[in-house]
Amino acid sequence: MTQPNIAPRLCIVVYAYCALVGINLIQGALVVKFIIWNETRKRKLPLTWTRVFTKFNLCLMIIPVANMLTYIGAGMALVTTNNQDKLIYTIVCDSGVALFELCYVYYTWFRGIPIMEAAAPNATPYLQRIVTFLPCLYILLPLPDIALLFVEDTSVLVPISKVVAGVCGLVTVSFDMMILTVFVKYLRKSPENGITKEDARLKLISWYGIVAACVGTLSLIVFSVGGAQDDEEVYQIYLMGSSGILTVVHGVLFAMKVALHHSKVCGNVVLPVSKTGNTSANASVNAGVTGEKTEAGSSRVHSYLSHC
């Protein structure tokens, strides 16, 4: 079998994809270990399907698999010389991206529901409709490439494939910006002192959500810059960088879960930063200098956070 003739720069890209597959394999294993050990065994709780496979945990476990599909598909598409095989690997890559975006949106939405209800109650129903619509959009991502398996004329389907990928990315970033706005609004209106532990955990979700949204937006920026390149090798480098950032996004989401678990088990909520630049808010929360909430929705928020 003849070895594919790959440019040196593309060889580096392929090796980078291999490294990213390994990193996501490790991240996935850490997520599973954390869920099984810290949320069941360590707390002496029975290992049940409903406790392990919550909507939060499912998203965190699926995202590394989606990333690995993306990296394997993209890397194999570079090294294969058969056009049919190249197309199949491209479909695998597109499917991985679609699965990542779907899980990312769902995870962000599920985590942010109580924050949205508190900071932007009027916008929450509209965001709910968007989240309901998004799976239909992401399913379209690999369809143009699947159609190319049966149609020889690529003059129409190839541009359509790029347009669909761009639209999916743009919609995800638009959703990110809406969520980012809500999180920032919540942090700005929430008090520094005298807050409940539930409020502090919602602030924790907001901070990590902001970081994840910014990193996700960076991924689309890198992808957009790469799309403007005429050199195919340079484009592939940018594409690898853009998809590689998705691994960082998963790391941020996992860090959010670890922080929330720590706050629930240890009763110690450490906020990443406070408006005044000191730790007075953290001190007041951890010392329990708070009053009980009187709002009607407090019990619902407590129930929601207990499953985080």
Side-chain angles (χ1 to χ4, degrees):
M1 185 177 67
T2 59
Q3 295 294 326
N5 185 19
I6 306 176
R9 285 191 295 185
L10 292 185
C11 283
I12 297 175
V13 172
V14 172
Y15 289 138
Y17 280 131
C18 292
L20 288 169
V21 169
I23 292 172
N24 277 269
L25 192 61
I26 294 172
Q27 282 184 327
L30 289 175
V31 169
V32 173
K33 178 182 180 298
F34 180 87
I35 292 170
I36 293 177
W37 175 251
N38 289 278
E39 296 191 352
T40 57
R41 302 297 188 190
K42 193 174 181 180
R43 297 166 63 188
K44 298 181 179 180
L45 296 174
L47 184 64
T48 62
W49 289 95
T50 55
R51 181 169 287 111
V52 172
F53 295 103
T54 65
K55 55 190 176 184
F56 305 108
N57 293 344
L58 273 174
C59 289
L60 276 182
M61 288 188 285
I62 292 174
I63 287 177
V65 177
N67 283 342
M68 284 190 285
L69 288 176
T70 300
Y71 303 142
I72 291 172
M76 292 301 296
L78 287 176
V79 301
T80 186
T81 56
N82 184 285
N83 290 333
Q84 191 81 351
D85 292 343
K86 188 183 294 288
L87 191 54
I88 291 174
Y89 288 127
T90 301
I91 293 170
V92 172
C93 178
D94 291 342
S95 300
V97 172
L99 188 59
F100 169 87
E101 291 182 342
L102 184 61
C103 290
Y104 168 71
V105 167
Y106 275 159
Y107 188 87
T108 305
W109 171 252
F110 292 145
R111 285 293 191 204
I113 286 176
I115 299 171
M116 296 168 204
E117 291 178 344
N122 296 330
T124 303
Y126 299 101
L127 288 172
Q128 175 67 67
R129 294 190 186 98
I130 293 174
V131 172
T132 304
F133 161 76
L134 285 179
C136 301
L137 176 64
Y138 293 140
I139 288 174
L140 296 176
L141 192 55
L143 290 185
D145 290 325
I146 293 175
L148 284 172
L149 291 172
F150 309 98
V151 179
E152 294 184 359
D153 185 9
T154 62
S155 59
V156 176
L157 288 175
V158 170
I160 290 177
S161 178
K162 293 181 179 181
V163 170
V164 171
V167 170
C168 288
L170 184 61
V171 169
T172 303
V173 169
S174 299
F175 178 82
D176 265 348
M177 292 299 101
M178 289 186 287
I179 297 297
L180 183 65
T181 302
V182 172
F183 285 168
V184 171
K185 182 179 179 181
Y186 179 82
L187 289 174
R188 293 186 65 179
K189 69 182 292 189
S190 61
E192 281 293 317
N193 300 305
I195 62 176
T196 67
K197 290 184 179 180
E198 290 175 0
D199 288 329
R201 295 187 71 202
L202 292 179
K203 292 180 73 172
L204 193 68
I205 293 173
S206 297
W207 279 113
Y208 279 101
I210 289 171
V211 174
C214 291
V215 175
T217 303
L218 176 63
S219 176
L220 183 66
I221 293 174
V222 173
F223 177 79
S224 301
V225 173
Q229 306 299 316
D230 295 327
D231 190 325
E232 176 66 18
E233 294 181 15
V234 175
Y235 165 72
Q236 290 295 339
I237 293 173
Y238 275 99
L239 184 63
M240 181 273 297
S242 174
S243 58
I245 293 174
L246 303 183
T247 298
V248 180
V249 174
H250 178 256
V252 174
L253 299 181
F254 182 38
M256 180 198 299
K257 179 170 183 65
V258 173
L260 288 171
H261 173 81
H262 178 76
S263 69
K264 181 169 65 176
V265 173
C266 302
N268 182 28
V269 181
V270 180
L271 302 179
V273 68
S274 65
K275 297 174 189 175
T276 58
N278 56 46
T279 59
S280 59
N282 293 329
S284 65
V285 171
N286 297 330
V289 187
T290 62
E292 292 298 325
K293 282 191 173 183
T294 59
E295 291 86 349
S298 61
S299 61
R300 184 174 71 250
V301 172
H302 176 75
S303 175
Y304 166 84
L305 287 174
S306 67
H307 292 85
C308 286

